[in-house]
């Protein structure tokens, strides 16, 4: 017989159906609902209701995931229970309310299909000796106390359990009741069930309660420690802190994703081989990152910063090529002429080969008109030196942070372009090209040209400090190259830090050679044709250069060659198999009427029209300065002239009025006539002092009625005393004169030294005449001027311009002797 909760006696049956249960252990006198879903289990319940007076054996599965457990997967000891109620649910499951009655051991499985029927043996607890009553009461009272503490600490238990325990005097039943309310793991709860000695069972329960108390105390401690840092948006952080504290108390190594990430970052920081100061700052930031919530915005900023630090090439350099012959070969293959630049690079490599070890890279600035190859030259230099190449365009840059980077306090901050470029190429000694450095701007965000002062100073850039990094980075090994069109637009302190190398425009012969060697093969490849389809002759290229381009560089020429190649490609696509020969006349047939014609050149010698020479960012240009007189008074200047050029015109008028008698000019002409000077083209701004002698010659020609030789061009600044001062851009101006078929170029005497840089081709086609005074200019430029001067002297007008002094006629003749044209 067995007894139920109310004390009724029920007959024990040795053969009962088995209901395997999972994730729970049922104890005697325990009442609980069960949901039965497996078909075999439902049949076992129905068998118990119909055949065994509602008695059924409840035994736990060893593996809770097994859907159809085998006999060996079920614990041997279970609990015989009575099915008090049964209800079928709409989803096909059955809900039963069972009451545990007595422990039983499975002796044999009489039936395995379709459900288990077992042969049982009743299991009784060991009787308690009466002389242990005091110890048992103390143990039971201790369990009461422990349960009370557990409930006080926040453990969720049945609110009536303490009241129920007051009425229980049996130690085994007390242990079973406490065990059934502690939500123990199946294996641990099964051990309690299988322990037949009530005293031992109480001891086990007491140990479990002690463990629960320790866990609750630790949990409260963790909560107290974490509560000071938690916010409403940091619930996940609170949970991670709990896990971290638990692992710390257990002394276990953390193996979560965060620790793996921190270890990986630490290894990369060590492998980057940073300087000591940088490494110290990096590990300081890593320590901060480890204490932060991984999803906070600050942790993202620090993580990005550390990634930037270990990705920079602190100790990685490119192996430079020291072979001078090979370097020169590479430079010659990529660029035509440019001897000065090539010599400077070879000098650097030569010094490095002799000195060895680390050596500061040169800081060069290539200045010249567009299209002469300044940017592409930087790539060739990097290739010749065996370095990586990166180009940084500075055109229109106005923010100082583009150079130095943004401070990490700003959202979306990043390093400056220099650090980004070094990070991109992966070496600390690349060639960095600052393209269009003369077009830097400035506004309220700062002046980037001032930020470049540190970058381009060899004494300072060893410890360049980017605002984002906030640690020094050595950029002294970088070879900096800048390009510009107008040197005057570069601030003087920045210009002083660079070695200026001027690149002038190309002559017609140079353009022909460059076209045949570089431009034509490139355009043939880009347009899908080859030498079998088209042949460019020298005459054709010369006609193309002369009539369709008027530039110092090569960009327009390359576009025109590309246009010719496309015309040929279209012929081939239309089925014409004949090879096209680009001759002088073929260019006009394919490209249409010429853009630049003979009408652009002066055809006759004119009065009041002189040919001047000017320098522009695009190279040299021809200026036709025109003058006319009309009734009125004063001086009118048109053609968008700058202040300096206007002052040059006024200076020329002042000089002429002081020499009217010597020049054979009626002084009253200035009172009754307005002189109008115009410099085409009117839409182009013009400025500078170099048109001084041209303006004076034009006005003197107008007032004396003497024509000016159309084959003579001139440049030079004039003073009130008639002296000719030096100017710049002689080579570019000579190139412009050659394009317009000028024979003679008048230059200031002090520019005679610049003739050494003039190529032989210029010297063969041009006569360069250095002059010291405007009188020498007039002797050369004005036709039959010597005859007119004799008439003026004969008429006695030679003293007026010298205020009564003796005219220096002999000295003048002696000065003319210095006009002998130099061999060009």
């Amino acid at each position: 017989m067995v007894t139920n909760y109310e004390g009724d006696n029920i007959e024990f049956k040795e053969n009962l159906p088995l209901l395997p249960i999972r994730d729970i252990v049922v104890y005697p006198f325990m009442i609980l609902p069960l949901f039965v879903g497996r078909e075999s289990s439902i049949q076992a319940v129905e068998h118990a209701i119909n055949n065994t007076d509602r008695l059924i054996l409840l035994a736990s599965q060893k593996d809770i995931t097994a859907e159809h457990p085998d006999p060996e997967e079920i614990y041997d000891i279970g609990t015989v229970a009575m099915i008090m109620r049964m209800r079928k649910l709409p989803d096909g499951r059955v809900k039963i309310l069972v009451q545990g009655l007595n422990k039983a051991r499975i002796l044999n499985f009489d039936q395995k299909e379709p459900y288990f029927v077992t042969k049982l043996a009743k299991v009784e607890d060991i009787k308690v000796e009466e002389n242990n009553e005091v110890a048992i009461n103390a143990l039971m009272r201790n369990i009461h106390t422990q349960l009370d503490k557990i409930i006080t600490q926040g453990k969720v238990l049945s609110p009536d359990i303490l009241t129920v325990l007051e009425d229980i005097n049996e130690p085994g039943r007390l242990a079973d009741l406490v065990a059934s309310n502690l939500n123990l793991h199946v294996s641990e709860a099964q051990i309690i069930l299988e322990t037949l000695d009530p005293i031992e069972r109480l001891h086990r329960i007491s140990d479990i309660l002690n463990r629960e108390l320790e866990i609750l105390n630790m949990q409260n401690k963790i909560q107290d420690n974490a509560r000071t840092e938690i916010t409403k948006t940091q619930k996940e952080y609170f949970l991670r802190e709990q896990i971290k504290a638990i692992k710390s108390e257990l002394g276990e190594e953390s193996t979560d994703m965060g620790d793996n990430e921190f270890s990986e970052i630490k290894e990369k920081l060590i492998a980057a081989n940073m300087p000591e100061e940088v490494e110290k700052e990096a590990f300081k930031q890593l320590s901060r990152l480890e204490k932060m919530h991984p999803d906070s915005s600050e942790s993202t900023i620090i993580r990005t910063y550390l990634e930037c630090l270990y990705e920079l090439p602190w100790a990685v350099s490119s192996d430079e090529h020291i072979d001078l012959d090979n370097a020169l070969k590479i430079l010659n293959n990529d660029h035509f002429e440019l001897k000065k630049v090539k010599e400077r690079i070879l000098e650097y490599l030569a010094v490095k080969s002799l000195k060895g070890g680390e050596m500061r890279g040169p800081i060069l600035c290539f200045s010249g008109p567009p299209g002469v190859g300044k940017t592409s030259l930087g790539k060739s230099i990097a290739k010749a030196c065996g370095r990586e190449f990166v180009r940084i365009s500075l055109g229109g840059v106005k923010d100082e942070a583009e150079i130095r980077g943004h401070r990490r306090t700003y959202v979306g901050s990043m390093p400056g372009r220099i650090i980004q470029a070094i990070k991109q190429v992966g070496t600390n000694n690349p060639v960095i090209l600052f393209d269009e450095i003369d077009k830097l701007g400035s506004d309220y965000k700062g002046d980037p040209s001032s930020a470049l002062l540190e970058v381009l100073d060899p004494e300072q850039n060893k410890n360049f400090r980017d605002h984002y990094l906030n640690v020094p980075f050595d950029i002294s090994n970088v070879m900096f190259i800048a390009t510009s069109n107008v040197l005057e637009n570069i601030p003087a302190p920045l210009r002083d830090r660079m070695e200026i190398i001027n690149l002038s425009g190309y002559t017609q012969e140079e353009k022909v050679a460059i076209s045949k060697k570089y431009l034509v093969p490139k355009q043939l490849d880009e347009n899908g044709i080859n030498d079998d389809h088209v042949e460019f002759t020298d005459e054709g290229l010369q006609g193309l250069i002369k009539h369709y381009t008027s530039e110092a560089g090569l960009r327009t020429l390359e576009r025109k060659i590309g246009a010719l190649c496309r015309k040929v490609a279209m012929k081939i696509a239309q089925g014409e198999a004949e090879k096209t020969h680009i001759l002088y006349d073929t260019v006009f047939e394919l490209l249409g009427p010429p853009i630049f014609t003979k009408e652009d050149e002066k055809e006759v010698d004119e009065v009041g029209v002189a040919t001047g020479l000017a320098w522009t960012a695009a190279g040299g240009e021809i200026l036709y300065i025109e003058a006319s007189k009309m009734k009125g008074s004063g001086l009118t200047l048109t053609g968008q002239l700058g202040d300096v050029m206007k002052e040059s015109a006024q200076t020329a008028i002042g000089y002429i009025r002081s020499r009217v008698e010597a020049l054979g000019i009626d002084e009253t002409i200035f009172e009754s006539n307005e002189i109008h000077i115009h410099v085409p083209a009117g839409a182009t701004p013009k400025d500078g002092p170099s048109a001084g002698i041209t303006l004076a010659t034009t006005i003197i020609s107008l007032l004396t009625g003497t024509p000016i030789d159309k084959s003579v061009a001139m440049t030079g600044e004039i003073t009130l005393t008639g002296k000719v001062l030096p100017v710049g851009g002689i080579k570019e101006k000579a190139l412009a004169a050659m394009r317009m078929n000028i024979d003679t170029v008048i230059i200031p005497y002090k520019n005679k030294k610049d003739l050494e840089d003039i190529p032989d081709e210029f010297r063969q086609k041009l006569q360069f005449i250095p002059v010291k005074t405007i009188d020498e200019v007039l002797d050369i430029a004005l036709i039959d001027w010597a005859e007119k001067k004799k008439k003026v002297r004969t008429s006695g007008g030679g003293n007026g311009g010298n205020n009564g002094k003796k005219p220096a006629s002999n000295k003048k003749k002696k000065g003319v002797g210095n006009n002998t044209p130099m061999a060009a």
Side-chain angles (χ1 to χ4, degrees):
M1 302 291 291
V2 293
T3 305
N4 65 6
Y5 194 80
E6 288 80 13
D8 299 331
N9 291 324
I10 299 173
E11 181 182 356
F12 181 84
K13 296 183 181 297
E14 295 183 350
N15 294 90
L16 289 176
L18 169 65
L19 176 61
I21 56 178
R22 41 189 169 187
D23 208 21
I24 193 172
V25 173
V26 178
Y27 295 95
F29 302 103
M30 182 177 176
I31 299 175
L32 79 161
L34 295 175
F35 290 90
V36 183
R38 290 180 287 202
E39 185 62 32
S40 59
S41 299
I42 293 174
Q43 292 181 14
V45 169
E46 291 175 348
H47 178 87
I49 292 174
N50 296 327
N51 301 310
T52 58
D53 296 334
R54 294 178 173 265
L55 296 180
I56 192 169
L57 177 64
L58 303 178
S60 299
Q61 296 180 197
K62 296 178 181 178
D63 182 8
I64 63 174
T65 61
E67 188 65 28
H68 301 287
D70 295 328
E72 58 271 12
E73 294 179 324
I74 300 173
Y75 286 107
D76 294 338
I77 294 180
T79 301
V80 174
M82 174 174 281
I83 301 173
M84 302 173 65
R85 294 176 189 168
M86 184 186 79
R87 180 183 175 189
K88 293 185 177 180
L89 301 176
D91 59 1
R93 293 184 301 161
V94 172
K95 180 181 179 181
I96 59 176
L97 183 67
V98 297
Q99 176 187 354
L101 300 176
N102 205 93
K103 300 177 184 177
R105 185 186 300 277
I106 299 174
L107 299 178
N108 189 30
F109 285 85
D110 294 341
Q111 178 182 315
K112 297 181 180 179
E113 295 293 340
Y115 52 87
F116 293 120
V117 176
T118 58
K119 184 176 182 180
L120 306 177
K122 187 177 180 182
V123 176
E124 299 287 355
D125 284 346
I126 300 173
K127 291 185 178 181
V128 180
E129 297 180 4
E130 294 181 0
N131 57 0
N132 287 340
E133 185 176 352
V134 176
I136 293 172
N137 287 336
L139 191 56
M140 292 174 67
R141 189 173 295 176
N142 182 55
I143 290 175
H144 277 266
T145 304
Q146 289 174 313
L147 267 179
D148 188 34
K149 289 181 180 179
I150 286 174
I151 292 173
T152 304
Q153 292 281 8
K155 180 75 173 180
V156 180
L157 295 175
S158 174
D160 300 328
I161 185 171
L162 292 176
T163 305
V164 174
L165 289 177
E166 292 292 337
D167 299 331
I168 297 177
N169 297 321
E170 298 178 19
R173 193 170 173 185
L174 178 71
D176 292 344
L177 179 60
V178 174
S180 65
N181 280 274
L182 290 180
N183 296 325
L184 301 176
H185 191 269
V186 171
S187 59
E188 192 172 25
Q190 185 68 27
I191 292 174
I192 300 296
L193 181 68
E194 294 179 359
T195 303
L196 302 180
D197 185 351
I199 306 299
E200 184 182 351
R201 209 147 74 234
L202 283 176
H203 279 294
R204 288 183 181 274
I205 292 296
S206 181
D207 292 340
I208 292 172
L209 291 176
N210 280 331
R211 187 187 68 197
E212 285 292 326
L213 273 174
E214 290 180 5
I215 292 174
L216 287 171
N217 287 331
M218 181 56 61
Q219 185 176 1
N220 290 333
K221 180 180 177 182
I222 294 169
Q223 290 175 344
D224 291 340
N225 292 336
R227 192 174 290 115
T228 58
E229 301 179 15
I230 192 170
T231 64
K232 293 180 181 180
T233 60
Q234 289 179 316
K235 290 183 179 180
E236 185 179 351
Y237 172 70
F238 168 56
L239 296 174
R240 291 180 183 274
E241 285 295 313
Q242 285 184 320
I243 294 172
K244 191 181 294 184
I246 291 171
K247 291 185 177 182
S248 176
E249 289 294 330
L250 294 176
E252 295 181 358
E253 289 287 336
S254 178
T255 57
D256 61 1
M257 292 291 291
D259 287 336
N260 288 338
E261 180 189 10
F262 298 144
S263 300
E264 184 179 350
I265 292 175
K266 185 175 181 180
E267 291 174 2
K268 289 182 177 179
L269 290 175
I270 295 173
N273 198 15
M274 304 173 180
E276 183 178 350
E277 178 185 352
V278 180
E279 192 173 76
K280 182 179 178 181
E281 175 65 19
F283 283 117
K284 176 183 174 182
Q285 297 298 329
L286 179 60
S287 177
R288 289 184 60 204
L289 179 62
E290 290 175 345
K291 299 173 185 176
M292 288 182 180
H293 186 270
D295 294 333
S296 68
S297 59
E298 182 70 14
S299 69
T300 304
I301 293 172
I302 295 179
R303 187 179 287 106
T304 306
Y305 172 68
L306 292 175
E307 287 176 359
C308 180
L309 280 182
Y310 65 66
E311 287 177 359
L312 280 172
W314 298 93
V316 180
S317 303
S318 299
D319 294 330
E320 286 190 282
H321 305 324
I322 312 296
D323 188 345
L324 300 184
D325 293 335
N326 184 56
L328 180 60
K329 182 179 179 182
I330 292 173
L331 292 172
N332 286 335
N333 286 339
D334 292 346
H335 288 83
F336 185 80
E337 291 294 331
L338 304 179
K339 293 180 181 178
K340 282 189 178 180
V341 182
K342 295 175 182 177
E343 284 180 6
R344 182 62 185 86
I345 301 305
L346 294 178
E347 288 169 4
Y348 164 74
L349 294 176
V351 173
K352 186 171 181 64
S353 65
L354 295 175
K355 186 177 179 181
E358 290 190 1
M359 178 181 169
R360 290 173 181 170
I363 299 173
L364 309 177
C365 178
F366 299 150
S367 177
V372 296
K374 299 184 297 295
T375 304
S376 60
L377 192 56
K379 294 182 182 179
S380 297
I381 290 173
K383 185 178 175 183
C385 296
R387 296 189 180 204
E388 297 294 332
F389 174 79
V390 60
R391 172 182 167 271
I392 299 176
S393 177
L394 297 181
V397 172
K398 296 182 178 180
D399 190 355
E400 177 248 1
E402 293 279 347
I403 307 299
R404 291 186 182 274
H406 302 78
R407 300 189 188 277
R408 296 199 302 278
T409 52
Y410 297 101
V411 176
S413 58
M414 62 180 67
R417 291 196 182 188
I418 296 170
I419 295 298
Q420 288 187 48
I422 292 173
K423 176 183 171 185
Q424 173 189 340
V425 297
T427 64
N428 60 16
N429 64 337
V431 173
I432 294 182
L433 178 78
F434 290 131
D435 208 7
E436 311 292 356
I437 196 172
D438 57 326
K439 295 174 181 61
L440 278 172
S442 63
D443 60 8
Y444 67 94
K445 296 180 182 178
D447 185 1
S449 63
S450 299
L452 281 173
L453 293 178
E454 179 188 4
V455 175
L456 299 180
D457 191 337
E459 300 299 326
Q460 300 180 41
N461 61 15
K462 186 173 180 63
N463 294 306
F464 173 67
R465 190 177 286 266
D466 186 275
H467 286 162
Y468 181 82
L469 296 182
N470 201 29
V471 291
F473 189 91
D474 184 5
I475 58 173
S476 61
N477 294 326
V478 176
M479 182 185 292
F480 290 106
I481 298 175
T483 69
S484 75
N485 298 129
V486 185
L487 280 176
E488 289 71 18
N489 292 347
I490 305 175
L494 182 58
R495 192 166 63 241
D496 183 59
R497 282 163 167 76
M498 300 183 290
E499 182 180 341
I500 308 297
I501 298 178
N502 290 301
L503 303 180
S504 303
Y506 297 106
T507 64
Q508 179 172 302
E509 283 69 17
E510 288 175 335
K511 289 183 179 181
V512 170
I514 293 171
S515 298
K516 295 176 72 175
K517 188 174 181 180
Y518 303 102
L519 304 184
V520 170
K522 179 182 176 183
Q523 288 300 321
L524 290 178
D525 181 64
E526 288 185 1
N527 290 282
I529 56 179
N530 53 45
D531 294 335
D532 296 333
H533 301 125
V534 63
E535 178 189 359
F536 282 82
T537 64
D538 290 354
E539 295 78 9
L541 288 172
Q542 288 170 0
L544 183 65
I545 293 166
K546 186 173 182 180
H547 295 290
Y548 292 89
T549 68
S550 180
E551 59 175 349
L554 300 164
R555 288 204 177 107
T556 303
L557 176 59
E558 183 174 5
R559 285 193 291 269
K560 294 301 180 181
I561 292 174
L564 290 172
C565 291
R566 289 192 297 274
K567 299 288 186 183
V568 174
M570 187 171 67
K571 285 184 176 182
I572 296 170
Q574 291 174 347
E576 294 186 23
E578 293 184 4
K579 184 175 182 179
T580 303
H581 298 275
I582 305 298
L583 304 174
Y584 189 86
D585 295 333
T586 312
V587 175
F588 301 110
E589 294 174 6
L590 295 177
L591 297 182
I595 300 174
F596 303 98
T597 62
K598 287 284 185 180
E599 285 73 30
D600 295 329
E601 304 171 12
K602 288 176 64 178
E603 295 184 354
V604 296
D605 302 327
E606 299 178 64
V607 174
V609 181
T611 305
L613 296 172
W615 181 92
T616 69
E621 292 290 342
I622 290 290
L623 288 180
Y624 292 123
I625 298 180
E626 304 171 348
S628 64
K629 67 179 188 293
M630 61 209 77
K631 287 185 179 181
S633 62
L635 175 66
T636 301
L637 300 169
T638 57
Q640 284 211 53
L641 307 186
D643 291 339
V644 177
M645 198 165 182
K646 288 179 181 178
E647 291 176 359
S648 295
Q650 292 167 352
T651 303
I653 290 290
Y655 166 76
I656 294 169
R657 295 191 68 169
S658 69
R659 297 285 309 279
V660 287
E661 293 187 14
L663 297 173
I665 299 172
D666 184 4
E667 189 170 1
T668 60
I669 197 171
F670 294 101
E671 299 174 1
S672 59
N673 288 273
E674 176 188 353
I675 298 175
H676 185 171
I677 298 176
H678 178 66
V679 185
T684 305
K686 309 163 194 73
D687 203 359
S690 64
I693 64 172
T694 315
L695 289 165
T697 303
T698 305
I699 298 170
I700 293 172
S701 169
L702 173 69
L703 299 180
T704 62
T706 308
I708 302 172
D709 190 344
K710 65 180 176 60
S711 65
V712 175
M714 61 195 77
T715 181
E717 181 179 354
I718 190 174
T719 68
L720 277 174
T721 59
K723 294 178 181 177
V724 180
L725 300 184
V727 293
I730 295 298
K731 182 180 178 183
E732 288 81 1
K733 294 174 180 179
L735 187 61
M738 284 181 59
R739 287 201 300 267
M740 302 307 291
N741 293 331
I742 300 294
D743 296 331
T744 304
V745 176
I746 300 173
I747 62 173
Y749 188 83
K750 290 186 179 179
N751 283 116
K752 188 176 178 180
K753 57 180 177 26
D754 296 326
L755 297 178
E756 296 178 3
D757 297 330
I758 300 295
D760 292 340
E761 181 184 349
F762 287 51
R763 294 169 180 262
Q764 292 170 4
K765 294 187 176 182
L766 294 174
Q767 286 184 334
F768 292 94
I769 305 179
V771 296
K772 293 181 179 180
T773 65
I774 187 65
D775 288 331
E776 300 175 43
V777 177
L778 299 177
D779 288 337
I780 300 166
L782 297 181
I783 297 176
D784 297 329
W785 180 244
E787 297 295 329
K788 289 197 174 187
K789 281 202 300 183
K790 288 179 181 179
K791 292 180 181 179
V792 171
R793 287 170 186 161
T794 304
S795 63
N799 296 334
N802 290 321
N803 298 323
K805 294 181 181 180
K806 183 179 179 180
S809 57
N810 294 331
K811 194 172 183 180
K812 291 282 182 183
K813 291 180 180 179
K814 187 177 180 180
V816 173
N818 294 328
N819 292 342
T820 305
M822 296 184 62

